[in-house]
């Protein structure tokens, strides 16, 4: 068979992860727009059916459940969590054709659209709704085809797609490292969403590098992860000083 | 005009009437095919599926059909495997042919719908080529294929018993030999079916991102594995019995001895009781430990329209009541109650499959997420109904042209 | 006996029919089908590496600073020497008049063109790493004519496009990563 | 024939077997897999070398630095913020991030168009050449001048902070028309207020980087205020804990729970439009409890105590009026904010080391003059104008000056004409009031004199002007409408001639000044790529027109190209020898008003080179220690208003007071108050919402064609509405079909509608989504300034 990645949960030196500071995030959406632009994400005239839209990085609006004027809202950008649960992520476990596999050298959970048969099992398995299905063939206005990036392959109908942590940038960074005679493993790069965030709310890097900003922030007392109780071990951490946001990060009784 | 094909000793309705029925079925199937082709050409956007409901009517019907169709294997197992030790099971030979046919219809129909379920049907074969051994769907793909093959093999002897075909000597010899090794296939199919239903039950074991469906450790293997197997066993023969009864009603004949129904009733009653007990414990453990461990209470999993009524319906109305009816001799004696029980039994399994697929997806996992409601479109209903029509077609043709019920002549002198 | 013979002959005849279908299928599959599957295309004009020996490989095929690879040189590169026709050939004329003077890129048909979804890093496949160019590309040094470009009518890709299985096999041999994103984008 | 049948079967079997031994099925399967990956109708991106170009985003006045990736130098594939840019330091707002969707929009105007059918009919446009188009316009201009009607030429520009605006001014001055307007914005009123209070023509500079306490009355800080990305950076800076540096507390006052309100350290919910009253209530407590900066007031403020006007009349001072009318109890009943909270805010504000008061409407419209003055007064009381310098001024920079226009008699006469529709009460200050609503109103109603030629530049008033119907009527009334739009927008649909501008990423332009920034600013926007279509920069068009007109007009605009003008700017900067060219390492907190920054450049070429490589010119703002007022102090009592208000006017009319303009409509019939709001994922200005941004809109804001109105659950129930129900929204200005979102983000009796939807032009990705908020709101002209203000609009909502 092909795609027989090392399925053991490697204790490698690199685990790319993200920390999103919800105190700083203003929900502007620049990250999501940059993601769409960078990754050739298709759009349609009507995007108001949120259950059919393609979104690699979705902004959720959290509400504190109180009435005016104690009502407060917060925006939570949610990319793919690139779950690091032992052995398999919820999604990589269920894909029948190995279209989604976690790279144990970087922790990135890949989704190869050209391998994907569109059974949507991974969508069902993912508790974060990180995956979008191409319900329609992608169709860009003719003139807008010019802005498609050759760095990312456009997807067609009938397959699932999701956030890749902009792994094409990782590949480019590795090649640059090779050119410069540096070690291509463990290179640092920046996803599009991180680049775009005007508040600097998103930090990206190697979670296993104790000197990295992302590793430090992941240990911040304000840090939490969505649905910790599921033990999916997501590699996207959030920071918030609001207790009501912490409470909404996971299911809790009462 | 087709008398030559009709088995000896039995009577069938006039060809025009049958033809009309065929037309109806063909119309439905055509409708379904049209809808299916529309899905294949336009994409799944014509369905009611969405990013929250990755699974929908297709999966639900598939799982339900496969469970109901599992009666073939289980019946085969009972007849070919256990009747040596329990002579009373010999009676099942009176209905075993129908079971095979029903199973064949279910599995092959499921295969067809399966193609509509995936976004890239043309790449469906990747499941065989790039199989992920950890994925339950891989197991499903392989198992369904095997079961379909096994059922075809089991079906062939029945077909070969057609009067015309049987006339052909090599065919006759071949069919006869097939009959001999049917037990082997039956047993094989049974074990495969056990594993298949079980692997369907294993699906929750990998869904640790879905608390409603997730089962862990012991409760995946062997518990949920056996639960799915058991539930299929507990309803499969019942489904076959219902089909048989329907044929009896339509043909206004008695096709099997009443004792067969009663035997099935007892067996199903016991299996359903066992299933209910185990299912109850499974649900208990899930509700007492697994779900709270995820920060969820039982009530968190139920919201209209996916309310508590589903649980009550599945385990109460379609679980306890059939058990009581089936395990009460007096109730078994009443056709109404017996088949009501069978019907509830089968309904329960479909509800269960629905709960484990559509309902499980309706439940928001993230606290700030919302409940979603899934409404299938005609492009989902049509193929499924067409698949049922396809099954009806096969059953109708089989009944008309094949000696499905050995006791039919004697019971309808 | 006659009947038996008939039966045998009938069986024999059956065998004949079977063989006929069999052999026919083989012929169609192995001879006709490929031509049906692939269409042959010509390059816009004939380019010979042998005619450009004054240039080194790296002049036209190089890795950019950002790590990307420039495999096919732009018409600008050609214009450096071919501002005016250097020969009388039709190819030369086409080059100068239709491309260089019009400042239009030459639509070369790339033999080893990979699909959009493939990420190939030349810088990770160098001779220093024990991977020679001819491993994937034809040896162009002594070529006197560009080969016919065979395009798959269905997929639109070159017949010479390296398939995934070959990549995986080699990666496995070399101990290189077979992670999806290493080669996919 | 049985043989035939069996033979046929055998043949088929053999063929099947044989085929299985050929590559046909396997190859076809393999190819089908590859084919499913490469359907012909799936777009395949052009491959090639990827390079990066540096520039400045011109999609809003924010002046963010950008870097754009290009494939083969001519396909832009990605826009990111320039991490070395002083304004945005690497981030971008969603509009900027989606910028390429405007560059490659299918609704771009690709060449000059002439309306050949009925005005307003998009299908009636036919292409014409640039030569022909320019001739037509020049002829018209010449004709009007010759008729002695230079004032009949008007212009509305949306690009108020660039050299193009200066060109317009230069052109209109030389041509002789007073009717040059910009799209309305809050600074229209703040600049007037500043002029009245300080006697200076300048933008306000808020030193937010060094603020320890920011009290914001309604300005949508995080929804696109001023320089949106810079505001975000600022907010992020406030959120970052730094050892040894005091944290900044951000208090936001607004009736609606906006994103800014939620993100604020504290949100004070007040009744719509009552922010100024709250400010005055706070001033009351400050005065009563002697918590204000007494030294500054005593030393540099006029009108705090009772004063005597030029006519010798005794007038009450700010102190007396505030103490008399704005007690916490009184203000509480007006604003809905507890008296204790008002007192607490005042005391907290007074305690702060570096406090500053911001203000602004939730959408960018002019404010009530007196309300602007109220916030200025509050800042004065807390010493924000003192040596702390939490607020300072950014006046026009010396290098900004263009040569005085050569003016002939026609120019003088035209300039002497009163701007169309402008009220007589407008204050006489250095700042020219942007009475655009009065202009459109007069034009639409045919009052005063007609407008024969109307230029529309980087503006879409038919969509984006509050009470946009007025603009549509005006466009239809104007003689000839010339649009310089890049897109076929709502306004250009009404044009007789479209002279398409280069797209924001195609043109060379500049950004003069950053709204609210505590420094003077200049940046050059270099073209990211060459123009895709047959378009021309409006600046160049203007220069061409001037040349065509000849004479003094040509003299006044002597530059050969727009680029020459920009290079002149650089030269003048180099010559002035003040300010410095900076990158992201520049910390605005280090700027002290009145202390010009030391230049790090010498020659003009040096300046130009650095400006075009992404560096920006900044300089210190002006210290607010010099006042050109009658009293030579900061005037809380604005003596400059003596000419604008009646001599018998109440004393309060000379100073800040809470003066709400009553909305029209029957309170009984229209019992609700409608407010509008903005969001960073909805572009409310010149450009429409990009498809990428549409994905960001939640499905309880826009669902298919319907926009959601935010209604408090209790209000909704009272009106018999259900969540998501379709309803009819009615205001004095119109009716619209909407849906209902029950949300505790607004108080009972108030409903909220987002801006940025309801487009009718552009394409299917843009049009037909929601309702244009500008069509529902009511604009009220400020009785003093004549500016069109938007407060809240009476509304009715009922089940459809």
């Amino acid at each position: 068979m092909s795609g027989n990645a090392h399925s053991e949960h490697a204790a490698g030196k690199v685990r790319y992860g993200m920390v999103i500071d919800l105190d700083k995030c203003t929900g502007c959406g620049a990250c999501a727009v940059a993601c769409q632009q960078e990754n050739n994400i298709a759009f349609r005239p009507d995007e108001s059916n949120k259950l059919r839209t393609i979104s690699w990085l979705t902004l959720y609006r959290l509400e504190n459940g109180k009435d005016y004027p104690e009502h407060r809202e917060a925006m939570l950008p949610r990319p793919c969590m690139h779950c690091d649960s032992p052995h398999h992520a919820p999604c990589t476990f269920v894909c029948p054709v190995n279209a989604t596999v976690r790279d144990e050298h970087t922790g990135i959970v890949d989704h190869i659209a050209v391998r994907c048969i569109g059974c949507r099992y991974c969508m069902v398995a993912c508790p974060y709704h990180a995956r979008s299905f191409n319900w329609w063939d992608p169709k860009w206005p003719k003139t807008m085809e010019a802005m498609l990036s050759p760095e990312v392959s456009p997807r067609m109908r009938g397959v699932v797609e999701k956030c890749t942590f902009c792994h094409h940038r990782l590949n480019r960074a590795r090649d640059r490292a090779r050119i410069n005679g540096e070690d291509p493993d463990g290179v640092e790069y920046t996803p599009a969403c991180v680049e775009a965030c005007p508040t600097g709310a998103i930090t990206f890097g190697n979670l296993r590098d104790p000197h990295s900003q992302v590793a430090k922030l992941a240990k911040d007392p304000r840090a939490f992860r969505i649905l910790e109780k599921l033990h999916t071990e997501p590699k996207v951490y959030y920071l918030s000083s609001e207790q009501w946001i912490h409470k909404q990060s996971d299911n809790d009784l009462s | 005009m087709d008398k030559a094909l009709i088995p000896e000793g039995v009577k069938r309705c006039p060809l025009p009437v049958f033809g009309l029925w065929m037309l109806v079925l063909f119309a439905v199937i055509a409708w379904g095919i049209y809808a299916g082709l529309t899905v294949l050409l336009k994409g799944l956007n014509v369905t009611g599926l969405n990013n929250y409901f990755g699974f929908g009517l297709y999966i639900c019907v598939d799982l339900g059909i496969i469970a109901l169709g599992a009666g073939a294997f289980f019946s085969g197992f009972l007849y070919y495997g256990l009747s040596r030790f329990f002579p009373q099971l010999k009676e099942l030979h009176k209905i075993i042919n129908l079971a095979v046919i029903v199973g064949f219809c279910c599995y092959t129909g499921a295969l067809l719908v399966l193609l509509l379920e995936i976004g890239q049907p043309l790449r469906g074969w990747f499941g065989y080529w790039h199989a992920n051994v950890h994925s339950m769907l891989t197991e499903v793909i392989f198992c369904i294929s095997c079961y379909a093959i096994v059922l075809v093999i089991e079906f062939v002897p029945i077909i070969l018993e057609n009067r015309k075909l049987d006339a052909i000597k090599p065919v006759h010899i071949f069919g006869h030999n097939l009959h001999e090794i049917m037990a082997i296939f039956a047993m094989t199919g049974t074990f495969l079916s056990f594993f298949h239903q079980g692997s369907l039950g294993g699906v929750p074991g990998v869904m640790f991102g879905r608390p409603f469906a997730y089962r862990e450790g012991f409760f995946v293997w062997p518990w949920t594995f056996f639960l799915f197997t058991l539930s299929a066993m507990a309803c499969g023969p019942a489904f076959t019995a219902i089909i048989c009864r329907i044929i009896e009603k339509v043909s206004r004949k008695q096709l099997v001895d009443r004792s067969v129904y009663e035997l099935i009733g007892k067996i199903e009653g016991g299996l359903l009781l066992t299933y209910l007990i185990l299912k109850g414990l499974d649900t208990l453990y899930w509700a007492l430990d697994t779900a709270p461990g995820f920060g969820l209470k039982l009530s968190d999993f139920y919201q209209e329209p996916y309310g508590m009524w589903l649980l009550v319906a599945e385990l109460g109305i379609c679980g306890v009541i059939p058990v009581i009816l089936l395990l009460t001799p007096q109730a078994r004696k009443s056709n109404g109650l017996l088949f009501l029980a069978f019907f509830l039994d089968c309904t329960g399994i479909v509800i269960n499959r629905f709960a484990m697929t559509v309902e499980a997806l309706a439940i928001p996992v993230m606290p700030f997420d919302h409940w979603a409601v899934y409404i299938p479109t005609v492009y989902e209903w049509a193929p499924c109904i067409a698949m049922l029509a396809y099954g009806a077609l096969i059953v109708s043709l089989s009944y008309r042209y094949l000696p499905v019920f050995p006791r039919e002549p004697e019971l309808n002198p | 006996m006659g009947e038996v013979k008939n039966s045998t002959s009938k069986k024999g005849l059956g065998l004949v029919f079977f063989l006929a279908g069999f052999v026919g299928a083989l012929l169609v599959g192995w001879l006709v089908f490929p031509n049906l599957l692939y269409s042959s295309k010509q390059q816009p004009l004939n380019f010979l590496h042998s005619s450009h020996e004054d240039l080194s490989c790296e002049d036209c095929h190089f890795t950019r600073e950002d790590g990307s690879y420039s495999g096919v040189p732009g018409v600008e590169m050609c214009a450096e020497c071919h501002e005016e026709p250097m020969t009388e050939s039709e190819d030369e004329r086409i080059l100068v008049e239709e491309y260089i003077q019009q400042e239009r890129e030459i639509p070369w048909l790339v033999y080893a063109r990979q699909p959009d979804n493939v990420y190939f890093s030349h810088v990770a496949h160098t001779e220093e790493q024990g991977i020679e160019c001819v491993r994937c590309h034809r040896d162009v040094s002594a070529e006197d004519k560009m080969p016919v470009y065979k395009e798959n009518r269905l997929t639109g890709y070159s017949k010479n496009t390296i398939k995934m299985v070959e990549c995986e096999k080699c990666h496995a041999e070399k101990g290189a990563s077979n992670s999806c994103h290493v080669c996919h984008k | 024939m049985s043989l035939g049948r069996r033979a046929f079967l055998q043949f088929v079997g053999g063929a099947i077997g044989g085929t299985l031994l050929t590559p046909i099925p396997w190859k076809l399967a393999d190819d089908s897999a590859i084919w499913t990956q490469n359907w012909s109708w799936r777009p395949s991106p052009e491959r090639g070398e990827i390079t990066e170009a540096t520039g400045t985003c011109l999609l809003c006045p924010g002046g963010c630095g950008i870097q754009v990736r290009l494939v083969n130098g001519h396909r832009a594939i990605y826009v990111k913020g320039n991490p070395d840019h002083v304004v945005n330091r690497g981030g971008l707002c969603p509009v900027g991030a989606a910028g390429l969707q405007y560059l490659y929009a299918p609704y771009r105007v690709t060449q000059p168009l002439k309306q050949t059918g009925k005005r307003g009919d998009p299908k009636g446009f036919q292409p014409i050449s640039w030569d022909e188009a320019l001739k037509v316009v020049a002829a018209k201009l010449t004709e009007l001048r010759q008729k002695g009607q230079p004032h009949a030429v008007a212009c509305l520009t949306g690009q108020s902070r660039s050299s193009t605006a200066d060109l317009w001014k230069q052109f209109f001055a030389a041509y002789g028309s007073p009717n040059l307007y910009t799209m309305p914005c809050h600074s229209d009123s703040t600049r007037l207020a500043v002029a009245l209070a300080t006697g200076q023509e300048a933008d306000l500079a808020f030193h937010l980087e060094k603020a320890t306490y920011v009290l914001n009355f309604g300005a949508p800080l995080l929804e696109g205020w001023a320089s949106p990305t810079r505001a975000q950076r600022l907010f992020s800076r406030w959120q970052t804990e730094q050892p040894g540096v005091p944290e900044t507390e951000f208090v936001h006052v607004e009736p609606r729970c906006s994103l800014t309100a939620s993100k604020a350290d504290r949100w004070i919910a007040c009744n719509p439009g009552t922010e100024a009253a709250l400010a005055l209530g706070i001033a009351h407590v400050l005065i009563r409890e002697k918590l204000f900066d007494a030294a500054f007031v005593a030393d540099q403020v006029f009108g705090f105590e009772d004063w005597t006007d030029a006519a010798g009349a005794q007038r009450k001072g700010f102190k007396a009026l505030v103490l008399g009318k704005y007690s916490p109890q009184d203000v509480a009943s007006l604003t809905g904010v507890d008296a204790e909270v008002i007192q607490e805010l005042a005391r907290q504000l007074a305690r702060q080391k570096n406090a500053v008061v911001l203000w602004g409407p939730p959408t960018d419209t002019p404010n009530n003059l007196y309300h602007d003055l109220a916030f200025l007064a509050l800042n004065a009381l807390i010493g924000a104008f003192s040596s702390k310098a939490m607020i300072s001024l950014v006046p026009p920079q010396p290098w900004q000056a263009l040569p005085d226009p050569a003016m002939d008699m026609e120019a003088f006469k035209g300039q002497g004409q009163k701007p169309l529709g402008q009220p007589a009460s407008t204050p006489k200050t250095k700042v020219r009031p942007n009475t655009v609503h009065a202009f459109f109103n007069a034009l639409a109603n045919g009052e005063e004199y007609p407008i024969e030629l109307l230029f529309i530049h980087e503006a879409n008033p038919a969509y984006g002007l509050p009470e946009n119907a007025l603009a549509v009527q005006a466009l239809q009334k104007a003689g000839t409408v010339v649009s310089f739009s890049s897109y076929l927008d709502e306004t250009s649909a009404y044009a007789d001639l479209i002279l398409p501008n280069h797209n924001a990423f195609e043109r060379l332009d500049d950004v003069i000044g950053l709204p609210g920034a505590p420094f003077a600013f200049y940046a050059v926007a270099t073209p990211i790529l060459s123009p895709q279509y047959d378009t021309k920069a409006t600046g160049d068009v203007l220069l061409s027109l001037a040349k065509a007109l000849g004479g003094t007009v040509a003299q006044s605009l002597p530059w050969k190209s727009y680029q020459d003008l920009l290079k002149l700017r650089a030269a003048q900067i180099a010559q002035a020898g003040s300010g410095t060219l900076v990158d992201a390492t520049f910390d605005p907190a280090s700027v002290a008003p009145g202390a010009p920054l030391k230049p790090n450049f010498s020659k003009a070429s040096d300046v130009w080179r650095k400006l075009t490589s992404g560096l920006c010119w900044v300089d210190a703002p002006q210290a607010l220690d010099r006042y050109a007022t009658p009293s030579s102090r900061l005037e809380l009592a604005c003596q400059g208003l003596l000419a604008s208000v009646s001599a018998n006017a109440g004393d309060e009319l000379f100073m800040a007071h809470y003066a709400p303009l009553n909305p029209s409509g029957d309170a009984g019939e229209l019992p609700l108050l409608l407010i509008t709001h903005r969001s960073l994922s909805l572009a409310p200005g010149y450009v429409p919402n990009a498809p990428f941004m549409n994905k960001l809109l939640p499905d309880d804001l826009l669902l298919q064609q319907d926009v959601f109105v935010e209604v408090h659950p209790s209000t909704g129930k009272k009106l018999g509405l259900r969540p998501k129900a379709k309803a009819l929204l009615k205001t004095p200005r119109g009716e619209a079909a909407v849906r209902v979102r029950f949300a505790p983000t607004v108080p009972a009796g108030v409903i909220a509608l987002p801006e940025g939807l309801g487009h009718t032009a552009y394409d299917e990705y843009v049009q037909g989504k929601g309702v244009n908020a500008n069509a529902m709101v009511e604009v009220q002209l400020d009785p003093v300034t004549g500016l069109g203000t938007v407060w809240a609009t009476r509304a009715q909502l009922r089940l459809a």
Side-chain angles (χ1 to χ4, degrees), chain D residues 97-143:
Chain D
L100 298 181
Q101 296 200 299
Y102 304 117
L103 172 65
Y104 294 118
Y107 46 79
R108 277 193 66 180
V109 178
T110 59
Q111 59 186 344
L113 299 174
K114 178 180 166 65
Q115 174 64 256
T116 57
K118 186 170 176 291
R119 191 186 287 193
D121 177 12
K123 300 191 198 65
F125 285 108
Q126 293 295 320
I128 67 170
S129 72
W130 273 105
D131 289 343
E132 191 182 333
L134 291 175
K135 275 196 216 155
V136 168
V137 176
K140 187 71 174 176
L141 284 167
T142 303
E143 176 198 339

Side-chain angles (χ1 to χ4, degrees), chain D residues 11 14 23 58 141 153 185 196 219 260 349 372 598 666 688 697 796:
Chain D
F11 177 83
L58 296 172
L141 284 167
V153 173
C185 68
L196 283 166
T260 305
L349 186 61
D372 276 353
K598 194 178 185 310
D666 176 29
L697 303 178
Q796 179 201 86

Side-chain angles (χ1 to χ4, degrees), chain D residues 404-704:
Chain D
D404 284 351
M407 293 173 65
D408 58 11
M409 271 311 297
E410 292 299 332
F412 276 110
K413 280 196 287 182
Q415 282 285 349
Q417 291 284 334
K418 179 175 77 73
L420 186 67
Q422 183 172 105
S425 62
T426 52
K428 305 296 179 278
T429 67
K430 294 176 189 174
V431 173
R432 183 179 175 279
N434 183 34
T435 52
V436 58
H437 267 99
F439 165 79
F440 274 121
N441 190 52
L443 174 56
N445 295 327
E447 293 167 5
E448 299 182 18
Y449 54 86
I451 293 298
E452 299 296 340
L453 179 60
L454 176 61
F455 294 110
I456 306 289
H457 167 241
E458 296 289 313
N460 187 8
Y463 169 80
L465 188 81
E467 281 197 27
N468 65 329
L470 190 64
V472 172
Q473 291 169 31
L475 287 170
Q476 288 171 320
K477 280 286 199 142
T480 301
V481 176
V482 177
S483 169
F484 296 93
S485 179
S486 302
Y487 318 106
L488 201 57
D489 56 36
E490 285 85 357
T491 303
S492 59
Y494 286 95
D496 295 296
L497 203 62
I498 301 178
L499 307 177
N501 197 357
H502 289 327
N503 173 267
F505 293 130
E506 292 169 338
R507 72 178 186 264
L508 172 70
D509 215 323
D510 60 4
V511 178
I512 304 176
L514 279 181
F519 46 84
F521 175 85
Y522 183 72
V524 169
T526 51
I528 297 302
L529 34 68
S530 58
Q532 306 284 301
Y533 305 111
D534 187 13
T535 57
K536 265 195 175 186
T538 303
D540 287 318
V541 172
L542 217 52
L543 292 173
S544 298
L545 287 173
K547 192 186 293 291
L549 284 169
T552 50
V553 177
Q555 257 179 273
S556 302
L557 288 81
W559 306 278
K560 291 187 181 57
S561 69
Y562 189 59
Q563 180 174 348
D564 285 353
L565 173 60
L566 297 191
K567 286 188 175 178
L568 173 66
R569 299 287 197 207
Q572 284 171 312
I573 286 174
Q575 190 183 331
S578 177
T580 185
L581 293 162
V582 298
D583 61 11
T585 58
F586 169 74
D587 183 4
S590 65
V591 171
L597 298 178
K598 194 178 185 310
N600 61 351
F601 49 83
S602 49
K603 296 184 294 178
S605 56
D606 197 22
V607 173
W608 179 253
R609 185 170 43 78
K610 288 181 179 177
L611 283 172
T612 51
S613 67
L615 293 179
C616 304
W617 176 90
V618 297
D619 202 359
Q622 177 185 308
L624 211 144
D625 49 10
R626 287 175 280 110
Y627 307 97
T629 56
S631 63
S632 296
R633 291 175 172 223
L634 186 129
E635 295 194 345
L636 293 187
C638 303
Q639 300 185 75
L641 287 174
L642 281 163
S644 303
V645 299
S646 156
N648 305 319
D651 299 333
E652 68 183 13
L653 293 181
F654 292 94
M655 56 187 70
H657 62 278
Y658 177 60
L661 300 170
N662 290 314
S664 67
D666 176 29
E669 186 197 355
L670 308 172
L672 306 176
L673 284 182
L674 169 71
I675 59 176
T676 61
H677 60 89
R678 287 188 178 181
S679 153
L680 275 182
S681 47
L682 257 186
Y686 178 51
V687 291
N689 221 35
F692 285 159
M693 294 168 68
N694 283 338
K695 288 209 187 201
L696 302 177
L697 303 178
D699 56 10
D700 59 6
L701 189 145
L702 176 72
L703 183 60
Q704 293 178 332

